[in-house]
Amino acid sequence: MSTPSHLISLRPATAADLPFLLALRRSAMTPHLQAAGIAQDEAGMMERVLVGFEGARIIEFAGGAIGLLKMIKGERAWDIVQIQLLPEWQGQGIGALLLSQALAEAAEAKATVLLSVLKVNKARRLYERLGFSVISEDENSYSMRAMP
């Protein structure tokens, strides 16, 4: 199922969004973290939500919060810190749409785009389809890059 792109929007996250962002992280990431054998308590989840918060944008569908795109834009490199959708919104092309838009903007700015993905997360296939390639890895994750 494809979601109408004209109903997808981004807005800056605020402190009022923290309960949603914590619930989002719990629902979107817990299965992947468990599969990777990574324990994360509530404090650890909140810490991750707050990393790079200045670059956090709430993904909305028809005005309702459905996810998060957190991106830090440097002069030469843009770091996608997190992209998460509520499980019921995954697989509908929303992540691909938003990442494609970010990649187009980065190309205009002649910036490289970086992200990290857990090895157990099937989103890696989406990232590769969009032009990202693995540049390094550690025990649990791949670091990926898309060139302008």
Side-chain angles (χ1 to χ4, degrees):
M1 180 170 120
S2 181
T3 302
S5 61
H6 69 281
L7 297 177
I8 301 294
S9 61
L10 296 174
R11 66 165 176 81
T14 68
D17 293 306
L18 290 174
F20 166 73
L21 292 172
L22 188 56
L24 172 66
R25 178 149 182 91
R26 230 182 269 116
S27 66
M29 291 303 298
T30 296
H32 303 298
L33 293 168
Q34 287 175 340
I38 300 171
Q40 193 167 57
D41 59 13
E42 288 292 302
M45 286 193 186
M46 182 56 79
E47 182 179 313
R48 187 70 177 135
V49 164
L50 294 173
V51 168
F53 194 74
E54 67 278 6
R57 302 291 177 266
I58 301 298
I59 303 167
E60 293 186 326
F61 174 76
I66 63 166
L68 166 71
L69 173 61
K70 192 185 299 180
M71 186 165 47
I72 306 298
K73 296 179 180 181
E75 189 174 319
R76 291 201 163 113
W78 295 8
D79 185 17
I80 296 175
V81 179
Q82 294 167 329
I83 182 165
Q84 298 169 345
L85 290 163
L86 291 169
E88 61 268 27
W89 289 94
Q90 295 172 10
Q92 297 183 39
I94 298 167
L97 170 74
L98 295 172
L99 288 172
S100 294
Q101 290 172 348
L103 288 167
E105 290 175 27
E108 280 186 32
K110 296 180 177 38
T112 298
V113 180
L114 305 166
L115 60 76
S116 178
V117 61
L118 288 172
K119 289 181 175 180
V120 298
N121 190 334
K122 64 183 180 185
R124 176 183 172 196
R125 291 191 302 267
L126 166 65
Y127 304 148
E128 288 173 334
R129 207 170 57 241
L130 293 173
F132 286 87
S133 57
V134 173
I135 55 171
S136 66
E137 65 181 279
D138 62 25
E139 179 182 346
N140 296 309
S141 62
Y142 296 110
S143 293
M144 303 183 79
R145 173 179 60 207
M147 303 296 286

